Amino acid sequence: MRAGESRLYAVWPGKYRSDLFLIDDIDDYEKALGIQHDPVRTGLQDHEHRISWQLSPDDQHSAASYVFVDTTLDCGCEIKDLKAFARQAREQLGWDVATTGGVSTSVRFGADGERQGLNYTLRIRRKSLG
């Protein structure tokens, strides 16, 4: 496909008709599927993340299999694509991050009132926290 020797089509099936699309930009297609890393779309650089985390106060004594974890990416990355972060967290930390239900985000400020980054509350399988 990259050499122009073949074409890639995608079909969007419908109830009464189906639409056929020609994929003309393989790079954009791969980025959208997560095959190729896209830091602009995901907010995540392709590096080993520096992460600070702690169990959310409400989950300190919970016995649930998934717990809420307050997380800060100290490396400056932002979570714009939860599935992309979940893949990286599994590879780098062994975390099993829930990708349903979304993520809660709050702004973190320093003592001087300057914005320092974002805090994320994620649902993570307790056994994978290690």
Side-chain angles (χ1 to χ4, degrees):
M1 166 125 184
R2 288 195 189 282
E5 297 172 3
S6 61
R7 292 185 179 167
L8 178 63
Y9 294 94
V11 176
W12 188 273
K15 187 172 183 177
Y16 298 105
R17 71 170 203 196
S18 296
D19 294 314
L20 179 68
F21 298 92
L22 170 64
I23 308 298
D24 59 353
D25 189 333
I26 192 68
D27 288 324
D28 280 347
Y29 177 73
E30 288 178 347
K31 288 175 183 177
L33 292 179
I35 297 169
Q36 193 180 112
H37 185 70
D38 183 7
V40 173
R41 184 181 58 79
T42 64
L44 303 164
Q45 295 300 317
D46 194 14
H47 64 197
E48 190 78 22
H49 296 295
R50 292 188 324 272
I51 299 175
S52 303
W53 65 274
Q54 65 181 10
L55 285 179
S56 292
D58 295 338
D59 276 322
Q60 295 290 337
H61 304 289
S62 171
S65 58
Y66 278 85
V67 292
F68 287 99
V69 177
D70 294 331
T71 308
T72 303
L73 298 176
D74 299 322
C75 54
C77 290
E78 293 185 19
I79 300 174
K80 294 180 182 177
D81 182 330
L82 183 56
K83 288 183 180 180
F85 176 76
R87 278 192 302 274
Q88 289 182 347
R90 176 173 284 293
E91 292 169 7
Q92 295 176 17
L93 303 166
W95 286 1
D96 186 10
V97 178
T99 56
T100 57
V103 59
S104 174
T105 308
S106 61
V107 178
R108 181 172 37 101
F109 293 97
D112 59 358
E114 287 285 319
R115 178 183 163 164
Q116 291 186 328
L118 297 171
N119 291 326
Y120 302 94
T121 301
L122 306 166
R123 285 186 325 123
I124 301 175
R125 186 183 300 270
R126 179 186 299 279
K127 289 181 180 180
S128 70
L129 286 172

